[in-house]
């Protein structure tokens, strides 16, 4: 397979939330992930995990915006101009969102999850159980990241 | 957007490794991710992070296998039959792999990473820096998962 070939995906479900705008960033908030009826059986046993990764498609990012190569983190001009792969910006060649959420309840084809920063109607690509291989000790992050986090903590 | 609409992705690069077969499961091993030349600028600043998530396309999973809804973890009949979303099996509706790796070195358009369990030639969809929002405390996993991990530990 050449690295220029196209890959076609089909959503496995959709995000449902009454939250709008900046409300979706509130990590204490509960959202629903409604999985396609024909895939409901693929959820069997998921509720034995407390946390999941949700992969979703940032469908509001236009083709033009996917060509962005550099950004200031959160649009802040006082922070360095960085490659999009060095940030979690939505402006990326393949705008796939990745968020770790708490699984509150699984019922039929609906997952109730806490901490999903995605808008109502967002197509979901995959859900994966979180386990100890998904984390690392002694990690290092840049100064700009620590600065943003400490500002966020102060504003709470 | 309807949840049945198709989504088209284009790889951002490709995995390069001399390892074959079960060798790729060795988490101490170093692989290269060769990013497309036209996206090299999107890596600027990535080396300030010690760890990355790599999203890749499991291109050897056929359309037929993507229809699998239930599996025994690692094909083990002594373990429960589970929905694919309750496992990390490659047999999933959208076969996207997600692995946390250590970034050893970033040079030009090449990332040297440790711990990527992907074969040579695997198309890469995204790389994202790992930060403290990507992990959780007090997580719960099922008994079958703990059993598999303890067997693995004993065989080392």
């Amino acid at each position: 397979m050449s690295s220029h070939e196209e890959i076609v995906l089909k959503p496995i479900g959709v995000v449902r939330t009454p939250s709008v705008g900046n409300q979706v960033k509130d990590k204490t908030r509960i959202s629903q992930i409604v999985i396609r009826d024909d895939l409901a059986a693929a959820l069997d046993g998921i509720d034995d995990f407390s946390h999941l990764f949700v992969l979703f498609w940032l469908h509001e990012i236009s083709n033009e915006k996917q060509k962005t190569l550099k950004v200031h983190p959160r649009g802040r001009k006082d922070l360095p101009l960085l490659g999009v792969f060095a940030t979690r910006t939505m402006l990326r060649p393949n705008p796939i969102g990745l968020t770790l959420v708490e699984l509150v309840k699984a019922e039929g084809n609906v997952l109730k999850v806490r901490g999903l920063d995605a808008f109502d109607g967002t197509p979901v690509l995959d859900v994966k159980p979180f386990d100890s291989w998904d984390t690392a000790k002694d990690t290092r992050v840049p100064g700009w990241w620590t600065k943003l986090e400490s500002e966020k903590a102060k504003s709470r």
Side-chain angles (χ1 to χ4, degrees), chain A:
Chain A
M1 174 171 197
S2 118
S3 69
H4 289 266
E5 212 165 306
E6 285 186 346
I7 289 165
V8 179
L9 306 181
K10 204 169 143 183
I12 62 162
V14 69
V15 176
R16 288 297 167 212
T17 171
S19 303
V20 293
N22 273 333
Q23 291 173 348
V24 301
K25 292 184 186 166
D26 173 356
K27 301 291 278 181
T28 64
R29 223 176 29 89
I30 289 181
S31 308
Q32 291 193 338
I33 299 175
V34 181
I35 300 291
R36 280 166 29 203
D37 284 333
D38 59 311
L39 298 176
L43 295 173
D44 284 4
I46 202 166
D47 50 350
D48 283 332
F49 288 91
S50 61
H51 290 75
L52 307 174
F53 281 119
V54 182
L55 281 70
F56 50 100
W57 183 245
L58 298 157
H59 61 305
E60 295 188 351
I61 305 302
S62 65
N63 286 349
E64 206 45 50
K65 281 188 177 162
Q66 291 176 27
K67 292 179 188 161
T68 308
L69 293 182
K70 297 220 175 190
V71 291
H72 292 282
R74 301 189 206 164
R76 290 248 316 243
K77 295 278 161 58
D78 60 318
L79 298 176
L81 185 66
L82 297 163
V84 295
F85 295 138
T87 78
R88 295 291 279 260
T89 179
M90 296 186 293
L91 309 176
R92 30 201 337 116
N94 292 315
I96 300 174
L98 171 69
T99 302
L100 180 65
V101 301
E102 182 193 342
L103 177 58
V104 177
K105 197 174 185 181
E107 202 168 36
N109 67 327
V110 177
L111 302 174
K112 278 173 86 170
V113 301
R114 191 190 312 275
L116 181 57
D117 51 347
F119 292 107
D120 187 62
T122 299
V124 175
L125 302 178
D126 201 2
V127 292
K128 294 181 188 291
F130 174 84
D131 66 51
S132 61
W133 289 102
D134 297 315
T135 193
K137 285 176 193 159
D138 306 321
T139 58
R140 185 169 41 84
V141 296
W144 62 261
W145 193 89
T146 316
K147 182 178 155 81
L148 280 173
E149 283 304 302
S150 80
E151 287 178 11
K152 235 199 274 180
K154 274 180 211 150
S155 72
R156 267 180 211 128

